[in-house]
Amino acid sequence: MRIASDVVQARREPALSLLVAAGLAVWLLLQPALIQGLPLGMRLPAVLLGIWALGAAFVRPLGLSPERRWQRRLATPPWSLVALGLFAGLLLGRALLGG
């Protein structure tokens, strides 16, 4: 029974991360000031984190796999989920604090 629940979880996680990434991407299209309002020294890391988080979330459900080992490692859980969570937290924090 545990194997079946692991398989269901493995199928559900990429779809959930894809939905979160799509929501964040649309939110950024509607509210670009969340990133634009950051000082330049913080904007570049935020953009790079967003590229990593959203890119990994969109690539995995499509069944694509990066060629290099370090790229594959960054595009799979837990690292991709950590990046997605950090980026979502950054945007939520900026929105709640009036950024």
Side-chain angles (χ1 to χ4, degrees):
M1 199 52 117
R2 177 166 163 72
I3 294 173
S5 68
D6 289 345
V7 169
V8 169
Q9 177 66 22
R11 289 184 184 167
R12 201 176 299 161
E13 184 272 321
L16 184 61
S17 66
L18 178 64
L19 287 174
V20 169
L24 290 174
V26 169
W27 189 18
L28 279 173
L29 286 172
L30 297 174
Q31 298 275 334
L34 292 173
I35 296 293
Q36 290 175 346
L38 289 170
L40 187 58
M42 292 178 61
R43 191 179 316 157
L44 181 61
V47 167
L48 293 175
L49 178 63
I51 290 170
W52 172 24
L54 299 180
F58 282 115
V59 165
R60 284 194 44 243
L62 296 175
L64 301 173
S65 179
E67 294 178 16
R68 294 189 175 99
R69 183 174 182 224
W70 66 270
Q71 292 172 334
R72 220 176 6 260
R73 175 176 259 170
L74 291 177
T76 56
W79 297 111
S80 64
L81 296 177
V82 168
L84 190 59
L86 286 173
F87 190 63
L90 171 74
L91 294 182
L92 282 172
R94 295 276 302 155
L96 292 175
L97 295 175

